[in-house]
Amino acid sequence: MQRLIPVLNSDHVPLHLISVINTLLTAAKEISHRLHQGSLAGTLGSTLDANIQGEVQKKLDVVSNQLIKNMLLETGLVHAVASEEEDDVVMGNPDAKYLVAYDPLDGSSNIDINGAVGTIFTILEKPDHPAEGTELFLQTGDEQLAAGYILYGPSTLLVMTTGRGVRVFTLDHTVGEFLLTVDKITIPQDTQEFGINMSNQRFWLPPMQQYIADLLAGSTGPRKKDFNMRWNAAMVSDVHRILTRSGIFSYPMDYKDPKKPCKLRLLYEAMPMSFLMEQAGGRSSTGYERIMSIQPTHIHQRVSVIMGSRNEVDTCLGYFKQHPCTRPDSI
Ligand code: AFP
């Protein structure tokens, strides 16, 4: 099986970009080890602090964030990093050209129940025009150079793209190398499986309520086929299921907390996952627009997410067209 570096070389990925990706994976190997140690590593449980998102930080959120940030900045190849766990952008080498935005431990509410969690990352280039701080990262998803996630499950997987399709690498713990195990992912265009947090159903916009109601009606309803549901409460795990066997995943905007109508973050969750979805032949939308086209206005901006098998996402988007409701400003 091929190791990561020769594969990225064959994809004509610049050497310094390969180094940045490899550094992320060095941090990921340490995170994987600490997760698999569980209680023995003394890093389960929560801290007494909350991040800028207002979420209580798990001890491993903090540890993972520090590991990734420090290792990336030590390379001298990174101009700045943005993280779910950092209020602001952290500047690196002013002469370097790569920007890295990441969610160090997505799904961290699963840590204490031994559930799957992951690291999500996207790599951008410092813009040609003068820009500082958060402005550096305000680029559309189409500007991404590379994106992916490391899924810490029964096996530790790297799923990534540099714009030439989606590949899967599996960590061989015996030699500490990520080895190519899937050369190219193509998502089936149709599906019978959906992922959404049903407890928010009464807060969704009417088009999403109607779309999901028709899925639940199954073969007795307008879709004339039954659907299965899965919800892992970790985007990395739900997205990996879709990349592996089809599906549609959504965390739509809802009126549960008017101050926070959307949950998922655009820069370091929705954008990288949308890059993977489109590279694998899928679709990714807010319900009103392609996520990869959105011009971010803030590094912690949230967005409504509907992504997965192309034909199923198009069917869902049809409900937003058929049931026009006033488009909320927030999505
Ligand atoms: P945490 O990292 O706080 O566990 O949140 C994970 C997440 O951002 C995303 O990975 C999941 O799809 C979504 O939240 C789950 O949200 P609910 O807990 O509301 O289902």
Side-chain angles (χ1 to χ4, degrees):
M1 286 184 187
Q2 288 182 287
R3 293 182 300 110
L4 177 91
I5 291 177
V7 171
L8 295 186
N9 265 326
S10 68
D11 282 348
H12 309 294
V13 178
L15 275 180
H16 282 176
L17 181 51
I18 294 177
S19 297
V20 171
I21 293 166
N22 219 22
T23 302
L24 271 168
L25 297 181
T26 303
K29 283 184 255 187
E30 172 67 23
I31 294 167
S32 176
H33 172 70
R34 289 171 186 246
L35 282 164
H36 288 121
Q37 285 291 95
S39 305
L40 303 176
T43 47
L44 295 190
S46 301
T47 67
L48 299 176
D49 305 315
N51 59 19
I52 191 170
Q53 330 283 343
E55 297 157 346
V56 173
Q57 289 181 306
K58 298 287 187 185
K59 290 177 187 172
L60 266 177
D61 279 324
V62 177
V63 168
S64 304
N65 180 55
Q66 290 295 349
L67 269 171
I68 294 171
K69 178 177 65 173
N70 295 340
M71 286 187 178
L72 284 174
L73 296 179
E74 282 162 9
T75 63
L77 298 173
V78 174
H79 184 76
V81 298
S83 166
E84 181 191 54
E85 304 302 335
E86 297 284 343
D87 296 1
D88 297 309
V89 164
V90 180
M91 299 309 293
N93 176 359
D95 300 324
K97 70 176 189 176
Y98 293 119
L99 305 169
V100 185
Y102 60 92
D103 179 355
L105 215 54
D106 175 63
S108 51
S109 53
N110 284 343
I111 293 174
D112 295 347
I113 58 165
N114 204 31
V117 291
T119 297
I120 307 173
F121 66 90
T122 179
I123 303 174
L124 299 155
E125 188 163 359
K126 184 174 72 167
D128 293 335
H129 60 75
E132 290 184 3
T134 57
E135 195 187 348
L136 291 162
F137 287 87
L138 305 185
Q139 304 181 39
T140 67
D142 285 323
E143 304 298 318
Q144 295 174 94
L145 299 177
Y149 57 83
I150 298 98
L151 176 57
Y152 309 106
S155 54
T156 295
L157 303 179
L158 165 67
V159 180
M160 65 167 285
T161 182
T162 58
R164 297 166 175 261
V166 177
R167 299 184 194 280
V168 181
F169 297 82
T170 301
L171 177 59
D172 180 343
H173 289 275
T174 51
V175 294
E177 290 275 6
F178 281 88
L179 304 179
L180 183 67
T181 42
V182 177
D183 189 43
K184 183 177 175 60
I185 286 186
T186 303
I187 308 174
Q189 297 200 348
D190 296 295
T191 189
Q192 288 185 247
E193 194 160 62
F194 70 97
I196 196 165
N197 182 336
M198 286 299 294
S199 68
N200 298 323
Q201 191 272 349
R202 65 188 185 281
F203 303 112
W204 295 332
L205 291 174
M208 185 52 83
Q209 288 178 330
Q210 188 59 55
Y211 167 67
I212 295 294
D214 288 350
L215 295 188
L216 295 173
S219 53
T220 64
R223 301 300 307 274
K224 301 192 186 326
K225 65 179 181 178
D226 291 333
F227 284 79
N228 190 25
M229 196 199 112
R230 285 285 183 276
W231 187 250
N232 290 7
M235 189 182 192
V236 282
S237 189
D238 285 311
V239 163
H240 190 68
R241 183 187 61 254
I242 291 168
L243 288 171
T244 305
R245 70 184 190 201
S246 87
I248 182 168
F249 166 92
S250 183
Y251 212 110
M253 73 83 56
D254 62 53
Y255 288 107
K256 186 174 179 180
D257 176 354
K259 293 190 298 298
K260 199 170 74 174
C262 298
K263 172 139 194 193
L264 301 181
R265 273 60 52 133
L266 174 61
L267 178 62
Y268 40 79
E269 288 176 325
M271 260 171 50
M273 294 310 206
S274 299
F275 193 9
L276 292 171
M277 283 289 164
E278 292 195 355
Q279 283 288 311
R283 180 96 73 204
S284 181
S285 171
T286 63
Y288 296 93
E289 64 182 309
R290 176 177 174 258
I291 287 179
M292 289 275 279
S293 304
I294 296 175
Q295 175 60 53
T297 53
H298 187 276
I299 59 171
H300 297 300
Q301 172 178 345
R302 297 171 188 267
V303 70
S304 173
V305 175
I306 304 168
M307 57 171 57
S309 295
R310 177 182 288 263
N311 293 346
E312 191 56 39
V313 172
D314 285 345
T315 299
C316 179
L317 299 182
Y319 283 71
F320 283 80
K321 293 187 181 85
Q322 289 157 17
H323 305 259
C325 62
T326 315
R327 173 178 174 173
D329 297 339
S330 55
I331 60 172

